């Protein structure tokens, strides 16, 4: 019996990478996609990547909003992505306060490992996109093929502290990141 081939994924940070980051986004009405995110995600989907959001949502652990409030926020995000054919089917998030020192907060690699196991993903063929240094460290800790920094959100600030080799590509935004990923040779 042949084993089903593991799929490549693009792991996506949420706030500042896909949507505007107002700080502890807690209402569906605050969900605003950054420019050309729909087109960029559609491009990645067409290139055969699973799209998986992995996000630190410490607003829950800080008592700012409830974990149940994340669902309507993600539903709103998908409502905005639907016209592009770029809906996100899988959301993973850490809800803990940073002081809790949990195992699932980025840059610890647990959530990539969990997603890979749940969904049949080959992490070594997968790529992480985010706007923080911790997103890039997360990709390295998990053993991703590449890590891409976007200069949206806090990306410009992150770029100033970027150590060599931490990022495989620095993209203006998610769309530019998607175009770079699209032209990569098949691993
Ligand atoms: Mg972010
Ligand atoms: Zn956690």
């Amino acid at each position: 019996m042949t084993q089903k081939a593991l799929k490549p994924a693009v792991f996506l940070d949420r706030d500042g990478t896909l949507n505007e980051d107002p700080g502890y986004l807690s209402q569906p009405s605050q969900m605003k996609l950054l420019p050309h995110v729909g087109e960029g995600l559609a491009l990645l989907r067409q290139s055969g990547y699973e799209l998986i959001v992995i996000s630190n949502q410490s607003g829950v652990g800080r008592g700012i909003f409830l974990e149940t409030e994340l669902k309507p926020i993600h539903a709103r995000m998908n409502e905005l992505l639907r016209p592009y054919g770029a809906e996100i089917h899988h959301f993973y998030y850490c809800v803990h306060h940073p002081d809790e020192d949990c195992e699932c907060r980025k840059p610890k690699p647990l959530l990539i490992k969990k997603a890979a196991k749940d969904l049949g993903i080959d992490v070594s063929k997968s790529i992480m996109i985010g706007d923080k240094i911790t997103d890039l460290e997360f990709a390295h800790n998990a053993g991703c093929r590449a890590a891409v920094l976007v200069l949206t959100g806090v990306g410009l600030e992150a770029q100033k502290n970027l150590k060599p080799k931490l990022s495989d590509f620095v993209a203006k935004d998610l769309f530019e990141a998607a175009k770079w990923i699209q032209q990569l040779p098949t691993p």
Side-chain angles (χ1 to χ4, degrees), residues 56-141:
N56 285 346
Q57 293 299 327
S58 71
V60 176
R62 294 173 201 269
I64 297 168
F65 53 88
L66 296 171
E67 185 171 353
T68 50
E69 290 176 286
L70 287 170
K71 213 174 167 186
I73 290 168
H74 294 155
R76 176 61 183 151
M77 172 175 252
N78 274 335
E79 203 171 276
L80 297 171
L81 288 173
R82 202 165 297 135
Y84 300 95
E87 285 168 87
I88 306 281
H89 299 301
H90 310 285
F91 291 89
Y92 287 81
Y93 43 84
C94 163
V95 294
H96 303 109
H97 192 288
D99 293 349
E100 287 181 67
D101 197 29
C102 66
E103 284 307 309
C104 53
R105 184 174 168 83
K106 293 185 283 186
K108 287 188 183 170
L110 185 82
L111 288 183
I112 282 188
K113 290 182 175 169
K114 186 175 182 339
K117 197 168 169 232
D118 291 349
L119 308 168
I121 301 298
D122 185 340
V123 175
S124 71
K125 291 181 180 170
S126 300
I127 296 158
M128 173 75 200
I129 307 175
D131 70 325
K132 283 189 180 169
I133 297 286
T134 47
D135 291 314
L136 307 174
E137 289 169 345
F138 181 55
H140 282 265
N141 293 343

Side-chain angles (χ1 to χ4, degrees), residues 13-17 131-132 135:
D13 169 56
R14 196 190 81 179
D15 303 325
T17 300
D131 70 325
K132 283 189 180 169
D135 291 314

